[in-house]
Amino acid sequence: MTGLRSDEWYGGDDRDGYIHRAWMRRGFPDDAFDGRRPQIAIANTASDLTPCNMHLDEVARSVKEGVYEAGGIPLNLPVVSLGETLVRPTAMLWRNMAAMAMEEMFRANPIDGLVLLGGCDKTIPALLMAAASVGIPAVVVPGGPMMNGMFRGKRMGCGTGVWQLSEEVRAGTLSKEAFLASDRSMIRSKGHCNTMGTASTMAIMAEALGMTIPGVAGTPAPDARLLEASQATGRLAVQLVKEGRTIADVITRGSFTNAIVALAACGGSTNAVVHLLAIAGRLGIDLTLDDFDRIGAEVPLLVNLQPAGEYLMEDLFNAGGLLAVLAEVRDLLDPTPITVTGLPLTDYLDDKPIWNPEVIAPRAEPLIEGAGIAVLRGNLAPRGAIIKPAAASPHLLRHRGEAIVFDSIEDFHARVDDPDLPVTPDSVLILRGCGPRGYPGMPEVANLPLPQKILKEGVRDMVRICDGRMSGTAYGTVVLHVSPEAAAGGTLALVQDGDPIVLDVPNRTITLDVPEEELARRTPPPALVEGFASAERGWQKLYIEHVQQADTGADLDFLVGASGSAVARESH
Ligand code: FES
């Protein structure tokens, strides 16, 4: 082990060293600051307002024990937390703020290594973005999913169950009372959403990137094995510092290949695309939308989890977890990137059987071939849009229909059930003004509920197009992340009711079939480019002025890249 970063604070016999040691001592032993014991910050997103992460203080205690056992000094560091269901207008508006605040605190404090505790959707991405921009050794403990939800004898997934049952209420096939009574059956324990939503996906991404102890992702939050793994992670964090293994040593280009393979094989959330692009941007790795399509195209869908399938995260864990999934597609993985343990991910794939082929399909019998995220381009999305074919209806993957346009989610809610809305099952619902700048914050609104009169015909899916995101717990034939967004000069702003839209997923195109000369004559509705995309002060002003488009990860332009861990000047 070379000199510790924290020794710049605690070392020396001058006045500053005195001050740093004196204020921190408070019961620590004499050797806590002798330059030999790594100071490990536990970046903790526990918060009573982030219900999915409430239990992380308990996880942190186990991490602390592990750090102590290995000779380090554990330090709890509460960081900005984001709860997906409560934070308005959308937690995504605050992901970059959380990452920026975390980054600065990681750098500003005498920290040698980091254990990153996340769970709810944006927390693991923000932690990884921040740690990547600082570059000191780091390891993730995902907080883990909740127990399975069960309602009327059937699995009820977080989010997915809400979307399904609320549609049943709108279609008149479920009473409001029964719907309202289902919430206790859905959320039964600590932990994050138990579907293959964004939180589960990002835990899996962290493991596939090499940033967790292999095998940890998906451990249910109430499972004692999570605490065991947390303790082991505390020990590992000390070892990482001693061996000088940084996040840049672990996450390389090949790690993203492995993450994209895992994303496709598990049927992970489309939100992983913006988060992985943003993490890559912090590390200076040239990851593009096309990498998702190219790498994912070879990968079969093996995991039968809601929202696209039947089961939940607890079932996946019991069926063998991510390592059993990756063992099936081992040949598609890059064997070179190491994990936080120093060994490649592929070294952990021997003897990893599938215990339940209903949950993890064997490679020979995949649920879907070529299950990756498809990247669409065309005049409607010159820089790209994405669709998750595994969550879409096969008969809609090639579709031509007339647009019905909504300029905001409020506009949609006001008109969707209007009996005079000229909508048919073949219509294409367009929702715009929901991109990073336009909303602002790129909310998860793209999985528009279907108009009531369509539901009453028994139709459960239509083509929908949006410059926003879709909840990872949602499903349907939804084209997302249209770039550039309407508020940033995208063609989406020019679409009018009745315009023909052509979706061709096999050929990767999305087209507004209106002559160029006609489009050149049109101007976007002023509210789309001016009304929403303005803010007088504060974070929203900074965000709107600097946020990038979804095709590069929706990070702020001045946060892309890294600044390292050096801090030249003293505080007193
Ligand atoms: Fe927190 Fe779904 S709401 S993970």
Side-chain angles (χ1 to χ4, degrees), residues 501-518:
I501 306 279
V502 185
L503 171 66
D504 186 346
V505 177
N507 286 308
R508 303 295 196 255
T509 58
I510 181 81
T511 311
L512 172 61
D513 195 9
V514 171
E516 283 301 314
E517 316 81 66
E518 165 60 18

Side-chain angles (χ1 to χ4, degrees), residues 52 84-85 120-121 192-193 199:
C52 307
E84 199 62 28
T85 51
C120 200
D121 296 15
H192 61 66
C193 288

Side-chain angles (χ1 to χ4, degrees), residues 456-485:
K456 283 185 174 152
E457 289 179 37
V459 175
R460 291 292 180 268
D461 195 12
M462 292 173 70
V463 174
R464 289 156 275 177
I465 300 175
C466 183
D467 46 10
R469 295 176 302 122
M470 173 168 88
S471 164
T473 60
Y475 53 92
T477 310
V478 188
V479 177
L480 312 148
H481 305 190
V482 170
S483 298
E485 62 174 296

Side-chain angles (χ1 to χ4, degrees), residues 89-102:
T90 166
M92 185 62 177
L93 176 62
W94 313 111
R95 181 200 67 177
N96 300 340
M97 184 200 73
M100 189 164 80
M102 291 171 185

Side-chain angles (χ1 to χ4, degrees), residues 531-548:
F532 296 98
S534 64
E536 290 298 316
R537 62 177 296 283
W539 172 255
Q540 293 207 19
K541 179 170 169 58
L542 191 66
Y543 182 89
I544 288 166
E545 288 175 0
H546 291 281
V547 71
Q548 299 187 315

Side-chain angles (χ1 to χ4, degrees), residues 112-113 131-132 134-139 209-211 239-252 283 338-340 565:
D112 301 305
V134 179
I136 60 178
V139 53
L209 288 171
M211 287 300 296
Q239 190 186 333
L240 278 177
V241 174
K242 289 183 174 168
E243 293 175 6
R245 190 177 307 126
T246 68
I247 190 166
D249 295 327
V250 173
I251 305 184
T252 61
L283 290 162
I338 58 166
T339 67
V340 279
S565 64

